[in-house]
Amino acid sequence: MVALRHHAEQRFTCQQCGRCCRRGWDIAVTAAEVDAYRKAGASEWFTETERTTETTSDPFEPIAGHAGHFRIRKRADGACGFLSDDNRCRIHERLGGQRKPLTCRLFPFRFHPVEGKAVLSASFSCPTIVASAGEPVSAQLKSLGSLYNEWARAFPEPSGTIEVAAGRPISAKTAAMLREVLRAMLDRPDPGGVPDLRANVGRMAALLDDLTRHRVLKLDPERFAEYVELTGRYAAGSDRPTAARRPSAVGRMLSRGFLFAVLAAREQLRAPKKGLRLGLRARLAGLLAHTHGLGPGVADIRLRRGRGVSLALDDPEAHRLVHHYLRAAVEDLGTGRRPIVDELALAVALLNASLAFAVMRVGEHGARGLDGPAVAEALVETMDLAHAEVDGAYGRVLITLAGGLDALWSFASSSPVPARAADAADPPPA
Ligand code: SF4
């Protein structure tokens, strides 16, 4: 059985909230699954619209560019057509849990084959992954290993190469060393015994800034590995504080674009799947102006309401959630999907966008500081974007907008809300 590298602290037991069935993502199914469902009469349990029993001829449609793969057609509200009114999967009800599509049995996990092994990552679009609740993932490796074998047969993916920066491959051993020093930095306690996550992410940014200097990246693999170990261990153990650095002007501008990309993706998922969608276009135009400080808020997005809300992670639950998210981001590094620096920058840019949402939400309720429920809700909502295909145009745009290590410096300097966006003219809360 393949060795699954995983985040050992992650817990998960599905709470059957049905969120993943409602997000409007493509639910990929294989030709064999489609054949079996058609033979079992699946079209009779499939509904086109919410709260009706109206059936259609075929619940499946081919995925363009992926021969032999299909997706389940969605209801008008974007949910899976097999979701019942009482939040249950009709395939599960009729055929049993083991006959559900592999994609659904796998969620919220994902496999990344890399260098003869596989990395198991978990989606923070699932509230249970965000909360890290239930059985330890370490105790589920046998069943996940079986799922991996099924997945590798159904959706074969070439093994990825680990790079620290674009065009600079590193060995799995060097990547493991880098994860180890980044984790040591992230978990480093302050004098009160609690990690100061912002200061610690600043330390991580400084180390990665150093490692991605042209002169260092040119070192041969052995010397680069030595450099990572020596400088990384020294930086992780040093008491010297990192000089605070503000994100660059370009980084701040890109962060506004990134926040718009998050909001646009959210609107796309919420919009009706059919018709001209003129309302969607108008909302996107409004959000573009709002995130650049040029217009009022749109619908429930009014960034100015987060003004004056403290970004300190003093609330223990808010701190725990952000710490857990960052630990998972570090443990997942080296999937072969993107270079390590890009992967971490994207993860932190998504966190920054989440915190922009969270301060807006707590501000709406008149609170002055972040709390656990607001952070959890914002993380779940923002992380839908992490599903963007790496090689797709959108995935590449996201990496550019993430702004590289500026995303880490933004987090470290407690400024994840783009300043001009927070200044946008906006009516006061109702
Ligand atoms: S979102 Fe997570 S907890 Fe909810 S049904 Fe899906 S996998 Fe289960």
Side-chain angles (χ1 to χ4, degrees):
M1 186 177 289
V2 70
L4 291 176
R5 182 165 75 68
H6 64 288
H7 177 202
E9 287 131 335
Q10 182 66 58
R11 291 173 169 270
F12 173 73
T13 301
C14 179
Q15 305 300 307
Q16 302 187 343
C17 66
R19 185 181 192 275
C20 50
C21 314
R22 297 180 187 280
R23 297 312 295 158
W25 300 320
D26 278 352
I27 301 171
V29 278
T30 63
E33 286 172 330
V34 168
D35 195 37
Y37 297 147
R38 281 179 178 152
K39 282 186 180 140
S43 61
E44 287 169 28
W45 337 314
F46 178 80
T47 53
E48 280 270 341
T49 54
E50 206 178 3
R51 299 186 188 287
T52 76
T53 53
E54 175 195 335
T55 58
T56 62
S57 52
D58 190 357
F60 309 103
E61 58 192 7
I63 303 178
H66 295 268
H69 289 148
F70 294 73
R71 66 180 152 226
I72 298 175
R73 288 176 46 227
K74 306 198 179 60
R75 299 191 314 212
D77 65 352
C80 172
F82 287 112
L83 187 67
S84 73
D85 280 354
D86 50 359
N87 231 16
R88 296 181 63 85
C89 169
R90 292 199 187 94
I91 296 179
H92 188 150
E93 281 180 341
R94 305 287 176 125
L95 303 177
Q98 283 312 305
R99 299 272 307 275
K100 280 202 301 191
L102 175 59
T103 304
C104 306
R105 283 182 281 137
L106 201 50
F107 190 83
F109 297 108
R110 191 164 170 192
F111 300 117
H112 313 274
V114 61
E115 304 205 342
K117 295 189 178 163
V119 180
L120 176 75
S121 68
S123 169
F124 275 68
S125 297
C126 165
T128 313
I129 291 296
V130 170
S132 194
E135 191 183 15
V137 169
S138 310
Q140 304 177 45
L141 291 182
K142 199 168 165 208
S143 55
L144 286 164
S146 303
L147 280 175
Y148 174 82
N149 293 335
E150 253 187 88
W151 173 84
R153 282 193 299 272
F155 302 100
E157 260 185 33
S159 189
T161 302
I162 307 176
E163 294 181 324
V164 64
R168 180 62 174 90
I170 56 171
S171 69
K173 199 168 158 210
T174 307
M177 168 61 62
L178 184 53
R179 280 194 301 275
E180 190 186 319
V181 295
L182 290 173
R183 260 303 294 265
M185 286 177 168
L186 179 65
D187 292 346
R188 181 191 171 85
D190 70 4
V194 178
D196 177 342
L197 296 178
R198 295 197 188 277
N200 292 353
V201 167
R203 284 176 178 270
M204 292 159 62
L207 174 69
L208 292 170
D209 256 343
D210 181 42
L211 293 181
T212 50
R213 279 183 302 141
H214 184 62
R215 189 173 69 75
V216 178
L217 287 175
K218 271 194 345 196
L219 294 172
D220 67 48
E222 208 173 311
R223 293 202 53 215
F224 184 79
E226 272 173 26
Y227 192 85
V228 170
E229 180 162 12
L230 281 175
T231 56
R233 286 199 193 287
Y234 173 78
S238 169
D239 286 332
R240 270 181 55 192
T242 309
R245 196 177 116 181
R246 269 174 61 75
S248 67
V250 172
R252 291 199 300 278
M253 188 181 70
L254 290 175
S255 72
R256 288 193 281 277
F258 191 88
L259 186 60
F260 170 70
V262 170
L263 294 171
R266 180 174 174 270
E267 286 300 319
Q268 293 275 2
L269 285 171
R270 288 169 152 202
K273 301 293 169 248
K274 292 176 182 156
L276 283 175
R277 310 211 289 175
L278 293 175
L280 171 65
R281 287 181 200 168
R283 284 198 300 284
L284 293 184
L287 285 171
L288 184 61
H290 185 53
T291 48
H292 287 77
L294 302 172
V298 176
D300 63 339
I301 300 299
R302 290 165 197 283
L303 295 167
R304 195 181 183 186
R305 291 180 183 172
R307 230 177 173 183
V309 176
S310 167
L311 280 156
L313 296 168
D314 295 336
D315 176 85
E317 182 60 3
H319 185 281
R320 180 188 80 84
L321 292 170
V322 172
H323 194 182
H324 173 63
Y325 173 82
L326 286 168
R327 279 178 166 171
V330 170
E331 294 294 343
D332 285 355
L333 294 176
T335 58
R337 298 172 75 208
R338 299 181 179 95
I340 283 177
V341 169
D342 287 353
E343 197 79 64
L344 189 59
L346 179 60
V348 178
L350 286 165
L351 175 61
N352 290 339
S354 298
L355 295 178
F357 276 137
V359 294
M360 181 181 74
R361 295 287 178 238
V362 297
E364 278 166 4
H365 297 111
R368 306 316 305 159
L370 289 168
D371 58 36
V375 170
E377 192 186 322
L379 276 172
V380 168
E381 208 166 331
T382 310
M383 296 308 152
D384 288 343
L385 201 60
H387 289 247
E389 278 195 36
V390 175
D391 294 329
Y394 192 48
R396 289 200 293 269
V397 166
L398 277 184
I399 280 296
T400 304
L401 293 176
L405 292 175
D406 271 332
L408 277 70
W409 289 118
S410 283
F411 179 83
S413 63
S414 304
S415 59
V417 184
R420 283 182 59 196
D423 282 338
D426 210 16

